[in-house]
Amino acid sequence: MDWMPIWLSLKLACCTTLVLAAIAVPITYRLSEFPNRLTAIWKAVVSLPLVLPPTVLGYYLLMLLGPRMGLGKWLAESWDYQLLFTFEGLVIGSVLYSLPFMVNPILSALEGLPEGYRESAYTLGKSKWTTYWKVLSPNVRSAWIMGAVMAFAHTLGEFGVILMIGGNIPGETRVASLAIYHAVETLDYASANRYALILLVAAGSLMALVYVLQRRWNRLT
């Protein structure tokens, strides 16, 4: 059995989750602490990948990262570098596609906190950023864990976006989901079954872990 697709899937999921954790901080801070008339629109934009067909997002990423226009053209002309059909390109696509799985649980938890938390912090002279980082975020730690695990698990099973912008290059962009697709195409059902079983066990274990952690955290709080 070729373990490279499994390794690439884990590597992609780890990189994507780390990037999303960093991105989630400014996004949730801005949307929760500075609500305005456009907040609903920005929330809709963040949640768009939940309802958007992967092929649509993959198509626009293909145009953006391609060598003929957008970011891809600038990289090709300025640095002689391309993101299409590379692992780095997969990370960009995965970050965009898994964004709501990381942001939405955190944002919902922040909005569900009693307003007294903010008012008490402001009364003590704390800034909005200090209130968010040192008062609110620690009280929604379970949501951060939930978001990270959901983003990780979702990335493990990505297919459409990865296929469109990464192709199916062995050792470079052929993650486990694509390995299943390739095995079925070549009628290698034994390999397809092994890869599918590994992903099934991994996803099930991750979901069980997040609910156990959430239960323990609720008991502590």
Side-chain angles (χ1 to χ4, degrees), residues 25-134:
V25 173
I27 292 178
T28 55
Y29 172 63
R30 178 65 180 80
L31 293 179
S32 64
E33 298 304 305
F34 300 92
N36 54 44
R37 295 178 181 178
L38 298 178
T39 298
I41 296 177
W42 285 116
K43 288 181 178 180
V45 170
V46 170
S47 300
L48 194 58
L50 291 173
V51 296
L52 196 66
T55 50
V56 174
L57 180 59
Y59 169 76
Y60 284 115
L61 283 173
L62 195 64
M63 295 296 100
L64 176 65
L65 303 180
R68 295 185 178 181
M69 61 186 297
L71 178 62
K73 182 179 180 179
W74 177 77
L75 288 173
E77 294 178 351
S78 302
W79 303 94
D80 191 25
Y81 179 76
Q82 73 166 14
L83 286 169
L84 284 182
F85 310 115
T86 65
F87 181 81
E88 291 76 12
L90 295 188
V91 173
I92 293 176
S94 297
V95 166
L96 292 176
Y97 195 47
S98 297
L99 181 64
F101 290 89
M102 184 75 188
V103 171
N104 286 352
I106 301 170
L107 193 58
S108 297
L110 287 171
E111 293 175 343
L113 289 176
E115 191 60 31
Y117 286 15
R118 289 182 176 86
E119 294 176 354
S120 298
Y122 297 156
T123 300
L124 295 173
K126 304 298 182 181
S127 65
K128 284 183 174 290
W129 170 249
T130 301
T131 300
Y132 167 85
W133 188 248
K134 295 188 176 181

Side-chain angles (χ1 to χ4, degrees), residues 163-192:
L163 181 62
M164 292 196 70
I165 66 175
N168 191 12
I169 305 173
E172 183 67 28
T173 62
R174 182 181 289 175
V175 295
S177 58
L178 294 184
I180 296 172
Y181 175 76
H182 177 75
V184 172
E185 275 195 324
T186 57
L187 304 181
D188 185 3
Y189 296 111
S191 295

